[in-house]
Amino acid sequence: MLAEWQSQNSKLRAGLTYAEDHLSTGERNRSTIAQFGGAQRLFNQRLELTAQTEFALGGQNDSVDFPARHSIGARLNVSPTVALVANHEITSGGTVD
């Protein structure tokens, strides 16, 4: 489930993800993740800054596919055909560290 709001230069989103992995050992890894993020365009939309966080609710963060993670990023349009992109992400969870 994801809700998103957008204007000409801004974007905000919030949502929930539930995942359950069924392992070959018979175990189940579960994650309930809350997601919040946003983006802001600056300098006549040449620069876009982004941030997002996804974290476990109630300590359920064992899914391989949906660990808790946090990211920040930037995109600079150098020309109509060239963009410089940088992103940094940190993840953690029962199976990722």
Side-chain angles (χ1 to χ4, degrees), residues 1 8 10-11 24 28-32 41 51 73 75:
M1 172 173 54
Q8 184 176 353
S10 303
K11 185 185 293 187
S24 61
R28 293 182 182 181
N29 286 346
R30 295 179 178 97
S31 291
T32 303
R41 293 187 189 113
R75 176 187 175 108

Side-chain angles (χ1 to χ4, degrees), residues 17 33-36 51-56 61 64-72 87-93 96:
T17 301
I33 302 289
Q35 173 189 2
F36 298 97
Q52 182 164 309
T53 186
E54 298 179 25
F55 57 90
N61 64 342
V64 174
D65 296 322
F66 296 97
R69 62 185 176 188
H70 317 285
S71 66
I72 57 171
N87 193 53
H88 180 71
E89 182 176 286
I90 299 169
T91 62
S92 64
V96 177

